Amino acid sequence: MSLTVAPEFSTRVRRDEPLSRHTSWHVGGPAEVFFNPRDRNDLAAFLRAAPPEVPIQWIGLGSNLLVRDGGLEGIVISTHGTLDALERLSETTVYAEAGVACARIARQCIKWGLGPAEFFAGIPGTLGGALAMNAGAFGGETWQHVRAVETIDRKGRTHHRAPSEYRVSYRQVLAPEPEEWFVAAELAFERRAGSHAGEVQKLLAQRKASQPIGEWSCGSVFTNPPGDHAARLIEAAGLKGFRIGDASVSQKHANFIINHGQATAVDLERLIGHVRDTVARIHGVALHPEVRIVGVP
Ligand SMILES: Cc1cc2nc3c(=O)[nH]c(=O)nc-3n(C[C@H](O)[C@H](O)[C@H](O)COP(=O)(O)OP(=O)(O)OC[C@H]3O[C@@H](n4cnc5c(N)ncnc54)[C@H](O)[C@@H]3O)c2cc1C
């Protein structure tokens, strides 16, 4: 049965849009309905008109998503290239919409003389994804800077929420309501004299030396277990270079899995399972995926 979309949106939704075009692993089957809103009002109107029983999945830059080959039933809302306002609110606070790329936040904060925001340069996703994941890099974490968020629900209503309403931990954010998504946040930084652009370049160069940047990946596949590093455990289990289909464990950083060009989501998910099972057998440690796995097999 085909999902009915209100007539005012029918020419703008993309049906059966391959999600491989929207994920950094470049895999994933089709989205039944793919919608990229023009702005907040358009988004609210679309949500109000959406059938209440239809599943909704949000996607930013798809840099932490493994979409299965069968794709996603229901609606996919993409914030990429939209919801992109970024403004300075006060001496030390910034307002950013969910579709703003994290790297842009880093660059703009440096221009404004605010920090520490350099870590955002290491996260190749949107602010919405960073809020959902509590993304972090180089010792900084997204929610350390959140003063307030704006969310939208299935009925298109906006909510203003304080960080205290969320349970935030390492790469995990538990929201007070399951079907509310981030549309913007107010972020606080400190005043920093001088430019820190050189600092960003240094951090990115360090990262390039230790991670397979430029290859098709989702960054770290597993979260680090308490007191250890997933990469160390995977490497010590002899899994560097282990391959299934066209996917392999990176030789450069064992917690990265690379799609060499033709991998399917099945290859990637099998490889994730193999790494998890091997580490559990050899080290007795349970690894948990940081990557979100969604969709129909
Ligand atoms: C090369 C590489 C390096 C990486 N390095 C790091 C790193 O150092 N640190 C780190 O933390 N991560 C890292 N990542 C992972 C990834 O970039 C982050 O998790 C990022 O925050 C995901 O943002 P995104 O916009 O791509 O989200 P997506 O992958 O599109 O989505 C991730 C999750 O967020 C949800 N989501 C997206 N937007 C919204 C929204 N507006 N409201 C509610 N939910 C939403 C999605 O539904 C999904 O569940 C790396 C990835 C790559 C490819």
Side-chain angles (χ1 to χ4, degrees), residues 96-200:
E97 285 190 314
V100 174
C102 292
R104 189 174 149 217
I105 297 177
R107 282 196 308 272
Q108 190 57 52
C109 282
I110 288 165
K111 282 189 193 150
W112 283 330
L114 296 175
E118 295 84 348
F119 75 94
F120 273 122
I123 300 164
T126 60
L127 177 64
L131 289 166
M133 298 301 307
N134 191 21
F138 314 128
E141 256 184 5
T142 304
W143 279 79
Q144 289 169 344
H145 298 279
V146 176
R147 289 297 163 270
V149 291
E150 283 172 28
T151 61
I152 196 161
D153 65 20
R154 286 197 72 107
K155 293 190 172 146
R157 293 175 304 210
T158 299
H159 303 263
H160 297 263
R161 294 199 179 273
S164 57
E165 296 180 72
Y166 292 81
R167 275 175 46 211
V168 178
S169 55
Y170 165 60
R171 302 293 176 271
Q172 200 179 42
V173 178
L174 298 176
E177 292 295 333
E179 292 212 305
E180 245 181 66
W181 301 279
F182 298 109
V183 285
E186 186 182 323
L187 305 171
F189 299 98
E190 290 161 22
R191 288 203 50 125
R192 291 276 185 98
S195 163
H196 292 260
E199 184 61 20
V200 169

Side-chain angles (χ1 to χ4, degrees), residues 24 57-65 79 98 122-126 128-130 132-137 171 180-183 207 211 213 217-220 256 290 292:
S24 59
Q57 168 75 41
W58 280 52
I59 185 168
L61 280 165
S63 62
N64 205 44
L65 267 186
T79 58
I123 300 164
T126 60
M133 298 301 307
N134 191 21
R171 302 293 176 271
E180 245 181 66
W181 301 279
F182 298 109
V183 285
R207 159 164 292 210
Q211 297 180 0
I213 303 301
S217 84
C218 247
S220 293
F256 279 53
E290 175 175 326
R292 303 267 176 98

